[in-house]
Amino acid sequence: MKIVDARVIVTCPGRNFVTLKIITDEGVTGVGDATLNGRELAVESYLRDHVVPLLIGRDPARIEDTWQYLYQGAYWRRGPVTMSAIAAVDTALWDIKGKVAGLPVYDLLGGRSRTGVTVYGHANGETMDEILVEVARYLDLGYRAVRVQSGVPGIPRTYGVSADKMFYEPADAALPTETTWSTERYLAHVPSVFARVRDEFGPDVRLLHDVHHRLTPIEAARLGRSLEPYGLTWIEDPVPAELPEGFRIIRQHTTTPIATGEVFNTIWDAAQLIREQLIDYIRMTVVHSGGITHLRRVFDLAALHHVRSGSHGATDLSPVCMAAALHLDIAIPNFGLQEYMRHTPETDAVFPHEYHYEDGYLHPGDAPGLGVDIDEAAAARYPYAPAYLPVNRLTDGTLHPW
Ligand code: CS2
Ligand code: MG
C-alpha cells in the first residue's frame, strides 16, 4: 500500500480546525488533527508546503519510521508547529492501520484496560450562586468529576468563566482582547469557592481547578495548601512550566495534587517533572505532542513514576484529536482523567464520530481505526476566520500569563 495524496483542510464551524486527510492507493483514508489555536495557518503551511510532498509514495504501515523521518529529518526539532504537524500525520497513519487491520486503534495499543473513560466537565460562574447551579447541572448529567472556575470580585473578566456554559470558547476575537489580573484578589477568593462547593455537594465528587499558569511557585504553594481541606483531585498549571525545578517549591509545601502539560509538545518538556515526581497528572494530548506514537511514550514514562494521564480536551482540539485521545485513554494502564468540553453541533456535523458520552464516561466506539472522519463538503461551508486567544495584564498594565 502507498500514500498517493494528502489534503490539509481548514474549516471554521464556529471555531478554526486544521485536519490532515491521508489517502492511499487502495482507497483507505486516515485523518489527523493539526489545530494550533490562534496559529492555525502556520501548521497548515508546514503540512502543505513541507510535509505532504514527503508523504507521497510512502508505505502508510511504517508509522514509527515516518515519525522519525519527520522529526529527525527536519533537523529543527520540537516546537508546537512541528509537533502538531507530525501529530496529524501520525494520527492519520494509526487510523489507516486500524482500518486495514479491521480493529479499533485501542486494540492495536494493547486492548482495553477499562470499560469507559472518566471525563470532567467545566462548571463556572461569576458568582457563587451561578457556580452551584453549574456544578449541580454536571452532576445531573452523570459527571463524576467537575472543574470549577470562578469570577474574582474586583476583576472584570476571569479565565474559565464564560457566558455560554456548555460551549466555552476563549479565542473570541479577530485580534487579541485584553483581560486583567490580580493575584492577591484571586488567592483571597478561591478557597471560599471550594469550601462552599465541597460543603454543598459532599465528598464524592472529584473537584479540579485550572490556574492557567498565573502564579509563582510560592504563591502556588500557598494556594495548594489553602485548598487541602477540600480534597481537590488537582490544581492545573499553577505556574508557567518552562522551569521544572520550580515545581519542587510547590511540592515542599502542599499535598494538593498537581497537573500540567497542555502547552508541552515533547517528552523532553515533561521528563524532569515526571522523573522527579513533581506532578501527579500529565496533561499533554495527541495533537500538540507528536501524535499517538509520541504521547504513548510520554504516558509510559509517566507510568514508571506514579504519574497518570489527564489529557487536555478543550474545544480547540478537534473531534479527531478527541477520538485519538480516547483510544489511548482506554488502553494505557495509568489513565487518570480526560477533559471533555463539548463541541458545538456544527463542529460535530463536520466531524462525524463514533465516540459518545454516557453517564460520566466517554466511549471510543468499536469502529476500525479511530472512528472519526471529516465531511469535506460540510467543512467547505465554513471558511477560516482569524481568531486569537486573549492576552492578560496586571492592574498596573504589566503583561502577565493569560
Ligand atoms: C484550558 C484550555 O482546557 C483547559 O484546561 O487551559 O481551555 C486552553 O485555554 C485552551 O486550550 C487554549 O487554546
Ligand atoms: Mg488548562
Side-chain angles (χ1 to χ4, degrees), residues 147 159 210 212 236-237 262 283:
R147 183 184 105 160
Y159 165 77
D210 191 349
H212 228 244
E236 171 179 334
D237 292 333
E262 68 181 41
R283 295 196 68 260

Side-chain angles (χ1 to χ4, degrees), residues 105-297:
V105 167
Y106 66 74
D107 264 334
L108 305 179
L109 298 170
R112 283 172 181 274
S113 289
R114 54 196 53 78
T115 50
V117 172
T118 306
V119 296
Y120 69 90
H122 287 198
N124 64 80
E126 277 302 335
T127 64
M128 203 59 242
D129 286 349
E130 253 177 73
I131 292 168
L132 296 178
V133 169
E134 286 304 309
V135 175
R137 189 150 71 98
Y138 278 98
L139 296 182
D140 285 348
L141 288 168
Y143 285 74
R144 290 168 177 75
V146 183
R147 183 184 105 160
V148 177
Q149 302 299 133
S150 166
V152 177
I155 303 183
R157 245 178 92 194
T158 317
Y159 165 77
V161 180
S162 64
D164 190 325
K165 298 300 180 208
M166 226 51 193
F167 304 109
Y168 175 60
E169 184 47 75
D172 57 358
L175 287 171
T177 53
E178 299 213 351
T179 60
T180 316
W181 181 246
S182 159
T183 296
E184 295 72 24
R185 287 182 176 169
Y186 168 77
L187 287 177
H189 182 64
V190 170
S192 66
V193 172
F194 282 91
R196 184 72 200 281
V197 170
R198 192 49 96 196
D199 190 46
E200 195 82 17
F201 297 101
D204 284 349
V205 54
R206 298 177 70 180
L207 297 175
L208 303 87
H209 179 65
D210 191 349
V211 186
H212 228 244
H213 325 272
R214 292 178 178 200
L215 301 178
T216 65
I218 201 67
E219 290 164 352
R222 173 179 152 197
L223 175 70
R225 190 179 274 189
S226 66
L227 293 175
E228 278 172 23
Y230 318 116
L232 268 64
T233 294
W234 76 46
I235 53 172
E236 171 179 334
D237 292 333
V239 295
E242 288 98 331
L243 185 72
E245 51 270 44
F247 282 69
R248 292 180 191 145
I249 296 172
I250 310 174
R251 277 301 211 218
Q252 281 157 12
H253 295 284
T254 181
T255 57
T256 295
I258 309 292
T260 200
E262 68 181 41
V263 303
F264 292 175
N265 41 70
T266 70
I267 197 165
W268 307 109
D269 298 321
Q272 185 180 352
L273 290 171
I274 291 173
R275 280 197 310 255
E276 286 192 36
Q277 301 183 27
L278 296 174
I279 56 172
D280 302 280
Y281 295 88
I282 180 71
R283 295 196 68 260
M284 294 164 69
T285 195
V286 174
V287 56
H288 301 139
S289 308
I292 292 173
T293 298
H294 194 64
L295 192 57
R296 175 73 199 231
R297 217 151 265 162

Side-chain angles (χ1 to χ4, degrees), residues 90-107:
D90 182 81
T91 308
L93 294 184
W94 279 101
D95 192 21
I96 290 172
K97 195 179 274 296
K99 287 177 182 167
V100 170
L103 293 171
V105 167
Y106 66 74
D107 264 334

Side-chain angles (χ1 to χ4, degrees), residues 46 50-51 53-55 58 62-75 86:
Y46 192 107
H50 302 294
V51 172
L54 312 181
L55 297 177
R58 290 186 73 85
R62 297 182 63 184
I63 298 178
E64 182 68 43
D65 184 67
T66 302
W67 197 97
Q68 299 297 341
Y69 188 87
L70 296 176
Y71 184 77
Q72 297 189 45
Y75 185 69
I86 295 177

